[in-house]
Amino acid sequence: SADYNGTWDIVSNDNFEGYMVALGIDFATRKIAGVLKPQKVIEQDGDCFIIKTYSTFRNYTCSFKIGEEYEEVTKGLDNRKCQTVVNWDNGRLVCVQRGEKKNRGWTHWIEEDKLHLELRCEKQVCKQVYKRS
Ligand code: RET
């Protein structure tokens, strides 16, 4: 299926504010985070992933193996603990982050050499698109 490896630069970021509000991120942090142009560096080795989100303000790394639930601490985001699992769905990476927040998770997919990311929390959906760096 899809090859996620590479460095990806954000080109659009729709409703990141709504997503951050749903996570309970404070006003000052949201104002800073809302204007960032994050970059993703993805290292994929079969079913093992390391996904790094870099920005001038804060970075976030997660690493996982498909189908293996792990405890994720969303350090520097909303600082919660989630029971997280990522599965394949027709080339898409579908993540469920079980914890205090309902309907929390994300989906990554590649379409026409663009990396798409949908971030979900409660009733909010943030949609980001990245191009190859
Ligand atoms: C930043 C800056 C500080 C505030 C917030 C951030 C959001 C990061 C997010 C990362 C998502 C990563 C994913 C990785 C996939 O494996 C940019 C670190 C809120 C939402 C989905």
Side-chain angles (χ1 to χ4, degrees), residues 16 19-20 25 29 33 36 38 40 51 53 55 57-60 62 64 76-77 106 108 117 119:
F16 191 40
Y19 174 75
M20 288 191 289
I25 292 173
T29 304
L36 298 172
K40 299 252 179 220
I51 302 185
T53 305
S55 79
F57 174 55
R58 240 174 238 166
N59 304 322
Y60 186 71
C62 67
F64 54 86
L77 310 188
W106 51 259
H108 263 310
L117 173 61
L119 294 156

Side-chain angles (χ1 to χ4, degrees), residues 13 16 19-20 23 25 29-30 32-34 36-40 42 49-64 70 72 75-78 86 93 95 97 104-108 117-119 126 128 130:
N13 192 359
F16 191 40
Y19 174 75
M20 288 191 289
L23 287 178
I25 292 173
T29 304
R30 293 202 313 271
I32 297 167
L36 298 172
K37 298 288 176 206
Q39 186 178 60
K40 299 252 179 220
I42 302 182
F49 284 82
I50 303 171
I51 302 185
K52 294 172 179 153
T53 305
Y54 290 111
S55 79
T56 53
F57 174 55
R58 240 174 238 166
N59 304 322
Y60 186 71
T61 299
C62 67
S63 49
F64 54 86
Y70 69 101
E72 180 179 16
K75 193 176 177 327
L77 310 188
D78 60 322
V86 184
L93 289 172
C95 173
Q97 294 168 306
R104 182 171 185 173
W106 51 259
T107 301
H108 263 310
L117 173 61
E118 183 185 273
L119 294 156
C126 167
Q128 302 181 337
Y130 295 79

Side-chain angles (χ1 to χ4, degrees), residues 41-96:
V41 177
I42 302 182
E43 294 167 47
Q44 178 186 2
D45 179 6
D47 277 357
C48 293
F49 284 82
I50 303 171
I51 302 185
K52 294 172 179 153
T53 305
Y54 290 111
S55 79
T56 53
F57 174 55
R58 240 174 238 166
N59 304 322
Y60 186 71
T61 299
C62 67
S63 49
F64 54 86
K65 185 173 181 189
I66 297 294
E68 288 193 0
E69 190 171 81
Y70 69 101
E71 184 182 88
E72 180 179 16
V73 181
T74 58
K75 193 176 177 327
L77 310 188
D78 60 322
N79 302 301
R80 285 191 174 84
K81 284 183 182 174
C82 304
Q83 289 304 311
T84 298
V85 66
V86 184
N87 282 293
W88 287 118
D89 178 12
N90 282 82
R92 295 185 178 213
L93 289 172
V94 180
C95 173
V96 176

